[in-house]
Amino acid sequence: IYDFRWEDNTTDPISFNWKIKGQLLKVPELDAYSYPYDGKAHLPAIIGFDENVIAVNGYNKKTAAGNYDIVFSLIDPVSSAWADGTTENKVLAWTITKAKFKKPTISPEHITFDGEKHTVGFEENESEHSFLVSDFNSDVMTIGGTPQAAGVGDYIAVVGLKDTDSAVWDDDSLGNIELPWKIVKKIVKLDRPRLEQDTFVYDGTRKIPEVLSPTKDYLDTGISLSGDTSALNVGNYTITASLSEHHDITFLWGDLSSEPINLPWKITPIAISAPRAEPLEFTYDGTAKAPNITDYDTTFVSMSGTRSATNQGTYTITFSLKNKNSTSWHNNGTADIIYTWIIKRKP
């Protein structure tokens, strides 16, 4: 049988005391404590943070201007303490400061109408736009108003601040910025019109002078005609050529004048040969007799009276000008021409 003893010949149990020494922890730090407001989310990075012994609260991204706290606490305050010997929570404050932004501007102020749709661009790389807004920041600003149009007119693009609690214009104002832009009328110079023919001879038909203009593309839209655009009878007439009103175009004559232009024209009388009737004497033989008619133009002349007869007697044929104001005989007369013819008794 063995009899175990300690080397001092005792047999009492021996006790050993041991301990886990409390850890002193350094308070974490932040890589940045302040950001200017720029419309983007921010969150400082934590330096010296051990998630095994330290808990964090309030560690969230923020966008708006303001003061924010990140709270650090000891997971086991019995076994650990901060480097200053305390165990209370530590608060690190960080902030997003209110920012000032330059007021946007627009250029150019206007563009000339060309029938195309024109747009306002808000990004410098959008070169296809006719107008460009400088100093625009889509992260902090809004777009409103009229950003595109095609017709002549005055328009307004509106830029505002998304968050007026976090941002202000560089003059400390907060209101929306109105950026006026316009499409101005196009100036089109038109050649002065002329008449292809300004003198007509009366022929009983209506005359319509043709108005010519080298600027043919605008003859219908840029020039309006009034006055004596057609006529039937002999006389002096005037066609008035006026520049048309157009919403998107200002029409001018080539010399930059705009007064109406008068285009005179006329219909002159026509002189015609007098009709002839012959022979004028016949002898009765029981058959119908009639003078032979020559130079009789039914366009201008009417005939009345007795054209033919059978019995012995005296007859008349009368030739009259249909329009004595526009037609005359070659001798300048206009009186009716009367031929008297007879059928004599048979001897």
Side-chain angles (χ1 to χ4, degrees), residues 104-121:
T105 57
I106 191 171
S107 62
E109 292 182 356
H110 68 267
I111 199 167
T112 301
F113 170 79
D114 59 5
E116 301 294 329
K117 179 180 289 185
H118 294 280
T119 57
V120 177

Side-chain angles (χ1 to χ4, degrees), residues 4 7 35 55 59 65 78 93 96 103 114-115 222 229 231 254 256 264:
F4 293 103
E7 58 184 14
Y35 301 90
Y59 190 57
V78 175
I96 296 178
K103 286 185 174 182
D114 59 5
T229 56
L256 300 182

Side-chain angles (χ1 to χ4, degrees), residues 30-342:
L30 303 179
D31 69 336
Y33 290 86
S34 179
Y35 301 90
Y37 169 77
D38 60 5
K40 299 177 181 179
H42 292 282
L43 184 63
I46 300 175
I47 302 172
F49 172 66
D50 185 351
E51 64 181 4
N52 294 312
V53 293
I54 300 174
V56 62
N57 189 29
Y59 190 57
N60 302 305
K61 290 183 177 182
K62 301 295 182 181
T63 301
N67 298 314
Y68 303 100
D69 292 331
I70 299 175
V71 180
F72 298 96
S73 59
L74 297 170
I75 293 178
D76 185 356
V78 175
S79 302
S80 59
W82 302 115
D84 61 2
T86 64
T87 58
E88 291 80 8
N89 293 345
K90 297 295 184 181
V91 179
L92 296 183
W94 65 285
T95 185
I96 296 178
T97 59
K98 195 169 187 176
K100 288 187 175 184
F101 293 93
K102 186 177 180 179
K103 286 185 174 182
T105 57
I106 191 171
S107 62
E109 292 182 356
H110 68 267
I111 199 167
T112 301
F113 170 79
D114 59 5
E116 301 294 329
K117 179 180 289 185
H118 294 280
T119 57
V120 177
F122 294 85
E123 302 295 338
E124 291 187 359
N125 60 349
E126 297 184 14
S127 58
E128 69 273 15
H129 294 292
S130 304
F131 298 86
L132 179 64
V133 175
S134 302
D135 299 311
F136 177 78
N137 185 336
S138 60
D139 292 323
V140 299
M141 300 176 191
T142 61
I143 300 170
T146 304
Q148 64 179 19
V152 167
D154 295 329
Y155 306 99
I156 295 177
V158 179
V159 177
L161 295 168
K162 288 183 177 179
D163 184 354
T164 54
D165 291 327
S166 301
V168 66
W169 298 120
D170 53 6
D171 62 357
D172 293 323
S173 63
L174 296 172
N176 291 340
I177 305 301
E178 293 188 348
L179 303 173
W181 59 282
K182 65 175 64 177
I183 298 176
V184 299
K185 282 189 173 185
K186 179 181 181 179
I187 295 178
V188 174
K189 296 179 182 179
L190 302 180
D191 295 311
R192 297 174 74 89
R194 60 182 178 84
L195 297 179
E196 182 180 35
Q197 180 180 348
D198 61 6
T199 300
F200 300 86
V201 176
Y202 176 80
D203 62 4
T205 62
R206 180 168 291 276
K207 303 303 179 184
I208 304 175
E210 183 177 357
V211 179
L212 301 178
S213 173
T215 321
K216 293 181 179 179
D217 291 344
Y218 292 100
L219 184 57
D220 293 332
T221 59
I223 300 175
S224 61
L225 303 177
S226 60
D228 306 314
T229 56
S230 69
L232 179 63
N233 297 316
V234 168
N236 294 315
Y237 303 99
T238 301
I239 295 175
T240 300
S242 303
L243 294 168
S244 301
E245 293 290 331
H246 193 284
H247 180 268
D248 298 314
I249 300 173
T250 296
F251 293 107
L252 296 174
W253 302 122
D255 60 1
L256 300 182
S257 65
S258 59
E259 293 77 13
I261 294 174
N262 291 324
L263 303 172
W265 64 286
K266 61 185 176 181
I267 300 176
T268 60
I270 186 173
I272 64 172
S273 299
R276 297 178 60 82
E278 56 184 358
L280 299 177
E281 187 174 309
F282 300 88
T283 300
Y284 174 78
D285 63 2
T287 63
K289 306 299 180 182
N292 184 37
I293 306 299
T294 59
D295 295 328
Y296 170 46
D297 189 340
T298 58
T299 302
F300 306 104
V301 181
S302 62
M303 181 176 62
S304 61
T306 304
R307 176 71 180 83
S308 67
T310 302
N311 297 323
Q312 179 269 336
T314 300
Y315 305 97
T316 59
I317 299 174
T318 300
F319 296 98
S320 303
L321 294 170
K322 291 182 177 180
N323 188 334
K324 294 183 179 182
N325 292 325
S326 302
T327 314
S328 65
W329 308 118
H330 272 310
N331 64 1
N332 293 322
T334 60
D336 293 350
I337 296 175
I338 302 173
Y339 288 95
T340 300
W341 63 286
I342 63 174

